Amino acid sequence: MLLLSVVRARAGDAAADWAGRAAATESVDAFCNAYTAAPKHVGRAPLALAESELSHLMAAAPDLRCDRWTVDDAARAVLLLSAAQRNDAKGAEAFVRLAIECYERGDAREQQSWLRAISLLPQPDRFTAVAVDACRTNIIPLFEAIACENPYPARHFPERQFNQLVLKALFNSIALARVVGLSTRVNPDLSRMARDYAAERRAAARPVPSDIAMAMIDDARQELTR
Amino acid sequence: MRIFDPHIHMTSRTTDDYEAMAAAGIVAIVEPAFWLGQPRTTVGSFVDYFNSLVGWERFRASQFGIRHFCTMGLNPKESNNPRLTDEVLALLPRFLDKDGVVAIGEIGFDDQTDAEERSFARQVELARDFNLPVLIHTPHRDKKQGTIRSIEVIRSVGFPEERVLIDHNNEETLPIVLASRCWAGHTIYPNTKMDEQRMAALVQKYGSDRIVVNSAADWGISDPLKVPKTIAVMRAHGVPDATIQKIVWDNPVAFFAQSGRLDLTDIDTCAAVDRSQKFETNSVLRGEQVGR
Ligand SMILES: [Zn+2]
């Protein structure tokens, strides 16, 4: 597995072997505890992928962006991907239950790791409800883990939930350039919401985010500049 | 001037806040049930939270001479958890007849999902059954649309608009609310929502009928003294004292009195309180401070 070799190259053989063993457990408790303990074994350094690693990863997951990943994020992704391979063979339900349990038991940092990796899981649309719910957080790094540098929302969110995500990014001064695939998902309703938000900001004598036009379809953009 | 803060989450505040509020003239508050930042996953968390709103928190306020009322409800955010929604809505009637519960709220929209709308409408029906007013939270995102939809929900249930307070208004939503018969709340926040200057301008433009201001202070960046601070700014803008008093006292009193449970008897004589009074076995004073 590509990510396992990435972890091995940074944290060493002992840590990579730990991840392999931890992923093989049949116990939900042991799996979730290992997910929690990953940084203890592999550290929390930035992943900083090398050119060759990046090109391999891009081949497997073209719009994934790992710039902000740390080594423990990668180790946790290894745990989930290994469990998916093993359990999906026995029945998909077992993996879905395990993955959701792992998310629900996680603290904010564990949930960030989980959200960063979900686009890599088999049949990722099985986790849309969890990802949509994650957007309701007020913990900004947690929101960013799903909303930014992550291809999942543009691929799997229904329109209404995608629009809410974009508005929440604007509201929290998060650059819209970080929302992967935004240009493929702009729609008339999102345009209207962005336009209303601009009007509300102007009425309050507050600055309008300079990148708000990225949330608009072309007609609305022209209106904005008129 | 007596001050009423009709929306403040004291559970998240300290006794220093209570002391400063009392010193600034705040004598009555409404604490709406809301979410706690961390999502709750079981109904038991709500049992304890609702009990604290009618129990420990009311007592804590009373020790600073502040009359504490509350609203009960399931907030829109957590209404997106279907199992929890069913359980909490089944739990609510247990609390709705308790003393000091002066409305159902804050309910309304967050993401404007179908699940939120169902929970919202069911709680408006509960308000009708229990003869309580309703406090509505309007969303941060897509606010104008959320305000329009909120009024539509009230109308679809056939709930009397004069018993509805729609909160967190801004320049864009206030005219919409005033065009209905609902009351309009304004949350004065340090960075978002509304500020004191803009509020004074709104009062100069729209007057004081059905208009209310609050601090909505909670666990985020917020200020429990925003109502007295807004009074000062309105005065500086030349808003007459009679108008100000209507906004910070008469209006919230008139609105929540519709519950029949807004007991303000002896409000002027209660300020001097005996802080050694105990709630069950606890006091907000630790043992060593009793002589203070
Ligand atoms: Zn509130």
Side-chain angles (χ1 to χ4, degrees):
Chain A
M1 192 192 292
L2 175 63
L3 281 171
L4 185 58
S5 65
V6 166
V7 171
R8 189 178 299 278
R10 283 153 187 78
D13 285 338
D17 293 347
W18 166 81
R21 277 197 314 279
T25 180
E26 290 293 328
S27 149
V28 172
D29 280 342
F31 182 87
C32 293
N33 292 347
Y35 197 86
T36 301
K40 195 169 77 184
H41 295 275
V42 305
R44 306 168 195 269
L47 201 55
L49 290 176
E51 212 45 62
S52 62
E53 290 172 326
L54 196 59
S55 58
H56 278 107
L57 194 69
M58 294 302 270
D63 17 321
L64 188 70
R65 299 193 209 152
C66 297
D67 327 9
R68 293 177 195 235
W69 283 41
T70 51
V71 182
D72 51 325
D73 286 327
R76 285 173 174 156
V78 167
L79 294 181
L80 279 176
L81 285 164
S82 309
Q85 279 167 9
R86 204 156 29 79
N87 281 344
D88 266 346
K90 292 186 305 195
E93 269 311 299
F95 174 65
V96 172
R97 270 200 307 275
L98 175 75
I100 290 178
E101 183 75 26
C102 178
Y103 177 81
E104 286 177 348
R105 289 193 198 184
D107 63 17
R109 187 60 190 83
E110 291 166 57
Q111 292 184 339
Q112 280 176 62
S113 297
W114 194 97
L115 292 166
R116 282 174 172 164
I118 47 168
S119 67
L120 297 171
L121 299 178
Q123 294 172 256
D125 55 333
R126 295 179 291 184
F127 302 105
T128 306
V130 178
V132 164
D133 200 51
C135 291
R136 301 202 165 96
T137 185
N138 275 22
I139 303 174
I140 298 306
L142 185 56
F143 174 70
E144 288 173 315
I146 182 67
C148 304
E149 291 89 34
N150 194 332
Y152 192 91
R155 266 193 227 149
H156 302 288
F157 274 32
E159 183 172 292
R160 207 182 329 177
Q161 278 72 30
F162 187 80
N163 293 353
Q164 283 288 332
L165 178 152
V166 175
L167 262 283
K168 187 159 181 165
L170 280 170
F171 197 80
N172 286 291
S173 311
I174 291 169
L176 291 189
R178 296 179 61 196
V179 178
V180 177
L182 171 58
S183 63
T184 67
R185 290 296 302 268
V186 287
N187 59 75
D189 212 36
L190 179 58
S191 285
R192 181 201 51 77
M193 289 163 77
R195 217 167 40 233
D196 282 355
Y197 184 58
E200 177 186 312
R201 298 283 299 179
R202 275 191 226 102
R206 290 187 168 141
V208 177
S210 56
D211 57 354
I212 196 164
M214 290 179 72
M216 296 178 182
I217 50 179
D218 290 342
D219 300 357
R221 280 187 209 199
Q222 282 156 11
E223 218 169 282
L224 187 75
T225 51
R226 260 209 304 269
Chain B
M1 185 179 289
R2 279 184 313 204
I3 301 171
F4 195 131
D5 189 339
H7 187 146
I8 184 163
H9 301 284
M10 291 311 298
T11 305
S12 309
R13 311 299 307 194
T14 65
T15 52
D16 284 3
D17 291 332
Y18 270 127
E19 229 157 25
M21 288 160 65
I26 297 172
V27 295
I29 56 179
V30 169
E31 172 153 13
F34 200 48
W35 84 302
L36 297 179
Q38 181 71 32
R40 284 163 283 202
T41 56
T42 63
V43 69
S45 303
F46 283 87
V47 174
D48 296 337
Y49 176 62
F50 292 159
N51 273 319
S52 77
L53 291 182
V54 294
W56 173 242
E57 202 55 49
R58 177 171 312 154
F59 169 74
R60 235 162 60 95
S62 73
Q63 298 216 305
F64 298 87
I66 293 176
R67 200 70 59 94
H68 180 284
F69 304 94
C70 66
T71 74
M72 289 286 175
L74 177 64
N75 62 81
K77 224 182 239 274
E78 285 172 314
S79 294
N80 286 297
N81 180 334
R83 184 181 48 78
L84 199 62
T85 300
D86 287 342
E87 290 176 351
V88 175
L89 265 49
L91 171 70
L92 274 173
R94 210 203 276 185
F95 289 92
L96 295 180
D97 272 332
K98 292 202 186 292
D99 287 346
V101 176
V102 292
I104 290 218
E106 42 190 315
I107 59 175
F109 286 114
D110 178 51
D111 273 352
Q112 302 186 44
T113 62
D114 296 341
E116 289 169 15
E117 182 163 341
R118 277 193 298 275
S119 169
F120 181 2
R122 283 168 69 188
Q123 293 186 82
V124 175
E125 284 162 9
L126 267 180
R128 189 176 52 199
D129 296 346
F130 281 81
N131 206 22
L132 284 168
V134 165
L135 172 63
I136 294 178
H137 162 97
T138 52
H140 301 285
R141 302 175 298 284
D142 205 9
K143 191 179 205 54
K144 197 164 146 189
Q145 195 60 31
T147 305
I148 293 167
R149 278 187 76 183
S150 297
I151 295 171
E152 283 169 5
V153 169
I154 292 296
R155 289 180 179 161
S156 74
V157 176
F159 193 82
E161 290 171 29
E162 57 279 6
R163 293 170 69 83
V164 174
L165 171 51
I166 299 185
D167 215 336
H168 316 314
N169 283 288
N170 61 22
E171 289 82 357
E172 300 283 294
T173 60
L174 177 58
I176 298 169
V177 175
L178 289 180
S180 74
R181 279 175 293 123
C182 302
W183 299 62
H186 301 81
T187 293
I188 317 301
Y189 258 18
N191 303 315
T192 57
K193 297 191 170 140
M194 177 63 55
D195 66 29
E196 295 95 317
Q197 312 290 335
R198 287 164 56 204
M199 188 66 228
L202 285 177
V203 169
Q204 283 168 324
K205 181 164 177 191
Y206 294 100
S208 56
D209 285 353
R210 288 182 285 139
I211 285 185
V212 163
V213 299
N214 61 68
S215 71
D218 60 7
W219 30 250
I221 295 172
S222 50
D223 177 353
L225 299 182
K226 276 300 188 190
V227 178
K229 286 177 182 173
T230 304
I231 292 174
V233 172
M234 287 194 286
R235 275 203 184 117
H237 278 70
V239 177
D241 265 17
T243 304
I244 296 175
Q245 174 171 326
K246 190 169 163 194
I247 290 168
V248 303
W249 185 263
D250 303 345
N251 283 348
V253 167
F255 178 77
F256 288 110
Q258 297 181 94
S259 66
R261 309 219 192 104
L262 191 79
D263 181 3
L264 293 169
T265 47
D266 303 330
I267 192 87
D268 292 316
T269 55
C270 285
V273 281
D274 173 11
R275 289 202 198 145
S276 64
Q277 191 188 348
K278 294 275 200 327
F279 175 72
E280 294 181 353
T281 56
N282 295 314
S283 164
V284 291
L285 302 176
R286 309 297 170 201
E288 72 275 12
Q289 295 172 312
V290 170
R292 186 167 148 195

